[in-house]
Amino acid sequence: MLKGIIDGCLLAIIKDTEVYGYEMAEKLESYGFHSFSEGTIYPLLLRMQKEELVRSTLKKSTAGPRRKYYSLTPKGELELNKFIERWNNLQSNVNKVLHCESDTEYTKGDEIIE
């Protein structure tokens, strides 16, 4: 489950601006995802690039070799919107379970529970 969540988070990170891999790792860290390094992120980005969700561009770096910057494709934007919709639905449903709330009545034995 976390894999799909990280994919969605990476898409959200690069939604508005081009970002390189190390920068994504730093941003994930700043949001509380402490166990994700560049080594974890690059295979995900490579797969997303093959799926045409992101594109990459090599750009000069002020410190060292050129960096590969990632940006969303139109297909990636659609996927991000689907992720956000699925996430909101999942979050809502989990919160209902945690707070014992239900949209419908159901029976448990002879008892009606709302």
Side-chain angles (χ1 to χ4, degrees):
M1 181 167 67
L2 188 57
K3 177 189 157 286
I5 292 171
I6 294 301
D7 287 0
C9 289
L10 290 175
L11 292 173
I13 287 171
I14 63 178
K15 176 185 171 208
D16 296 322
T17 186
E18 292 181 320
V19 183
Y20 60 97
Y22 180 73
E23 189 177 8
M24 284 185 228
E26 287 181 325
K27 286 184 184 243
L28 283 174
E29 174 89 20
S30 75
Y31 292 124
F33 291 96
H34 302 293
S35 61
F36 293 96
S37 66
E38 293 170 82
T40 304
I41 292 170
Y42 284 119
L44 298 175
L45 290 169
L46 182 60
R47 181 183 45 76
M48 288 192 282
Q49 192 167 0
K50 287 179 182 177
E51 294 173 358
E52 300 178 346
L53 302 176
V54 300
R55 70 175 69 82
S56 64
T57 307
L58 287 173
K59 294 187 176 187
K60 288 183 181 181
S61 169
T62 57
R66 296 189 303 171
R67 292 180 177 158
K68 188 182 278 192
Y69 283 80
Y70 295 88
S71 59
L72 285 187
T73 63
K75 186 176 177 181
E77 289 181 36
L78 288 173
E79 187 60 33
L80 174 58
N81 290 332
K82 288 179 191 175
F83 169 78
I84 292 168
E85 185 177 320
R86 288 188 308 263
W87 174 256
N88 288 335
N89 189 37
L90 176 64
Q91 180 182 12
S92 174
N93 292 337
V94 169
N95 283 333
K96 287 177 187 177
V97 171
L98 294 177
H99 301 290
C100 300
E101 299 170 1
S102 178
D103 288 339
T104 59
E105 290 184 2
Y106 63 95
T107 59
K108 183 176 181 182
D110 293 333
E111 180 182 3
I112 295 178
I113 300 173
E114 294 185 34

